[in-house]
Amino acid sequence: MAEQSSIYPQSPKDIPADLVSPTPKYKKHAWLAMAGLTVFMLFYIALMCGFGYMAVDVFQTMQIHKPNLPRIIVFVSATLLTVFMAKSLFVVNRAGSPGGFEVSASDEPKLFEFLHTLADEVGAPRPHRVFITPDVNAAVFYDLSLLNLFFPSKKNLLIGLGLVNVLNLGELKAVLAHEFGHFSQKSMIVGRWVYIAQQIVAHMVATRDWLDALIRFVSRVDLRIAWLGWLLGLLVWCIRSLMDTVFSWVVIAERALSREMEFNADLVAVSLTGSDALIDALHKLQTADHAWQVVFSELGRQGSDKKVIDDFFAAQSAVIEQMRKLLGDDDYGQVAEKPEHDKANHRVFEQQMALPPQMWATHPQNSDRERNAKANYVDAQIDGRSGWCIFADADELKRKVSQDFYDAAKVKDFTTADGAEAIVKRFDRRSYSPDFRGAYLNRSTMRNFDSIDNMLSQGQLAQTAEFSVAQLYPAQLSDDLQVARDLEVERQTLLSIQRGELKPSGGVIRFRDDVIGKKDIAEVLQTLDKERKAAAQKLMFHDASARRAYLQAAEKLSSDWYEYLLSLNHALHYAEHSSAKVADELALLINTWQVITADGTIGFFEKRRILKVARHFEQFMRQTSVLLQEFELPSAVSAALEISNWQEQRPVFDFPNVDSGNWHQWCPAAMEHAQYFVSVFEAIGAEVLEQLIGTEQLVMNILAGNAEVEVTPTPSRCPAQYPLLMPGDEHVLQRKLDLWNRFQLAQGIFPSAARLVVSIGIVGGTLVAGFLV
């Protein structure tokens, strides 16, 4: 026990007495959510009982009076609709497995002592079960069934080791204190009830079962009977629409409550760790999540080589370290030093220009969470020890979690790879060198040129190749690249606000140092486009100068080296444009597919539209496939990509012709195959870039006498002509459904209101007419 007390960080003193008390806003949202859910459930049950009573009433009428066709139709329809609504009440399933594995106090005594101490200090129930996963996450979850409408669920805790790996002990305590803050919230019962009701509504709206099959069958028989199926189908659609719309109001209220619960749980963490620990943890989570995504990608790469990574978390740490080197930023993944004075006003997160619509968000923005945590600032020392110290054997746990991630039967013959070494090797690329100031990071150097000849007509050269190369990659280049990225972010943000996809933070549009109106966005975008064009021209000038400088050096060395280096430029141009072009055509097909299938039904004109796009896509992909036959990979690229015979291993688009009978299977398969084409072009482009940079450096070393003259590799060969995609020439995708689809899906204020009115009118009219029969 003495050992544990030395592990558990001390909590701050002199905490404001009402710091974690529910605010009036919290209480208001709790009552609104509860009231909305109660009204919804009463409405649902009343409508179900209304159809049930109608069926009974008509049946009793037929016992007294002679049954006739209208009464039989009303009786059968009312009975079916009652069953339709009643069956959805019994579909609630228990929550699925969170993944990972469960640990007990006997497995991890230090962890459970830590958790129990923390829960007792918060005044929350101790966790019923604790699960360990490899993810960057910590969460409270519980099992659900209909019984939980009346009896509380026991709460379980999930701890992701990808989170533990990047946090110190004080930050980890803050994150877990936040989760225990949820354990103690009585308002969690509202979320539980809303979740159960959501399953009921989701089953009703989304599930298509025997009733839908019956309606379709009746609708397709003789016209004298089909109209009954049409009417019943319309009525079912109206009931689904009505429940969906009404419940969306409940969800909005519950999401608002959820955000207040997050604020309150944050304050619980503040009361135990101070105002900074949780905010520092939130900041680190962004880096941790990116690193975990890279590790997850590496798992796939190693798996294709029949290897498993031994330690995911060493790999995650290696990603962060490599990113520090790559960006030349020693503080990457860390929180900047806080000022000694005025800590309460120090901010880690900046207020964004715009945010997604908050009515559906369950969590507040990090900037708002920081403002909430520091409103009543609690100063406290953050325990800098590793978060791993709460586990009995951290190294063994890392190994166990990493092994448990894999399917043992599938990887029984795999070899083990060192995770950190695999990541270091992944980042060991010439294009990642800090010497290039980020010129080759996540950007294309060839897309701005419609041909290599065009590129060679731009840029500038000095009198000597050595001096031309010496002028490349100045420190200013980093600033130029950052300016271009910032301008693109500003443009995309303003476009999203203009389209209604994002909402301005605080209700006003802040652009740089000014506040602008929505009507001003078009004018601001014109100014931005001029700035973006100037920034792009600056980078194009650098890209052209860089390639020309090394070609100048190669020409000085020999014509063979010049031709080889020039062929690599052509290969990179072909790969980058082809990758972008295939991705753009694929985006159009996916967008069209999403639009026509949005409402679950596909009409005549929608079918014609998807066929037109699919046929164009098919023609393009066949052309791309043929052009790949003409492409000869540089030998070094083939070796790096482990391609022994390009003509046999190259991707081929050999799908059957798309037509009106197979398009619904053809499109998803073609999309997946086209994504493979994109991946191949991206891999080729990345490796050609590596060979290009390596060859350029080799040429300079030979000229400087630092390397021996080598036999010139055979130049690669590209198709003479191939499709290009210049920046700005991408397909304009449909971002908004047409009015009919928006009406069916209740997207937007007016379509939602129209669907609600129609649904109420038809359902209400049916009930009235049914009782008058």
Side-chain angles (χ1 to χ4, degrees), residues 192 287 304 403 448 552 559 586 691 764:
R192 186 172 76 238
T287 303
S304 64
Q403 283 188 350
N448 287 305
Q552 181 186 18
S559 60
L586 176 59
Q691 297 303 322

Side-chain angles (χ1 to χ4, degrees), residues 575-630:
E576 289 190 353
H577 274 277
S578 296
S579 173
K581 185 65 177 175
V582 174
D584 187 51
E585 296 296 339
L586 176 59
L588 177 62
L589 181 62
I590 292 174
N591 178 251
T592 307
W593 175 274
Q594 291 172 337
V595 168
I596 71 162
T597 59
D599 62 354
T601 60
I602 300 169
F604 174 78
F605 291 104
E606 289 177 322
K607 184 176 178 180
R608 282 209 326 187
R609 177 181 174 185
I610 189 67
L611 274 172
K612 180 180 178 181
V613 173
R615 284 166 178 156
H616 168 78
F617 182 76
E618 176 189 358
Q619 182 181 5
F620 167 76
M621 289 304 300
R622 293 197 193 285
Q623 177 191 16
T624 301
S625 185
V626 169
L627 288 173
L628 277 171
Q629 286 182 296
E630 303 175 25

Side-chain angles (χ1 to χ4, degrees), residues 88-101:
S88 296
L89 293 173
F90 301 96
V91 299
V92 180
N93 299 313
R94 296 174 68 86
S97 170
F101 57 85

Side-chain angles (χ1 to χ4, degrees), residues 117 188 193 211 277 312 391 410 491 671:
T117 303
M188 283 198 78
W193 288 345
L211 178 60
F312 294 174
F391 296 101
K410 293 182 179 179
R491 176 177 176 271
M671 292 173 194

Side-chain angles (χ1 to χ4, degrees), residues 129 397 539 545 626 637 753:
R129 302 169 72 187
L397 183 63
L539 294 176
S545 297
V626 169
V637 173

Side-chain angles (χ1 to χ4, degrees), residues 66 142 207 286 368 420 550 735 759:
K66 184 179 179 180
Y142 38 79
T207 303
Q286 299 173 107
D368 292 333
Y550 288 109
R735 298 181 178 274
S759 300

Side-chain angles (χ1 to χ4, degrees), residues 443-450 488 491 532-533 536 540 573 576-577 580-581 584 724-731:
R443 64 179 294 267
S444 167
T445 60
M446 293 291 182
R447 283 276 315 283
N448 287 305
F449 305 106
D450 59 13
E488 184 60 27
R491 176 177 176 271
R532 288 175 63 246
K533 186 175 181 180
M540 284 176 63
H573 187 270
E576 289 190 353
H577 274 277
K581 185 65 177 175
D584 187 51
L724 304 175
L725 185 68
M726 303 297 292
D729 289 345
E730 296 84 1
H731 285 296

Side-chain angles (χ1 to χ4, degrees), residues 320-321 323-335:
I320 296 173
E321 182 60 33
M323 288 298 297
R324 285 193 187 117
K325 294 178 181 178
L326 191 155
L327 298 174
D329 181 4
D330 292 337
D331 293 328
Y332 178 80
Q334 300 296 325
V335 180

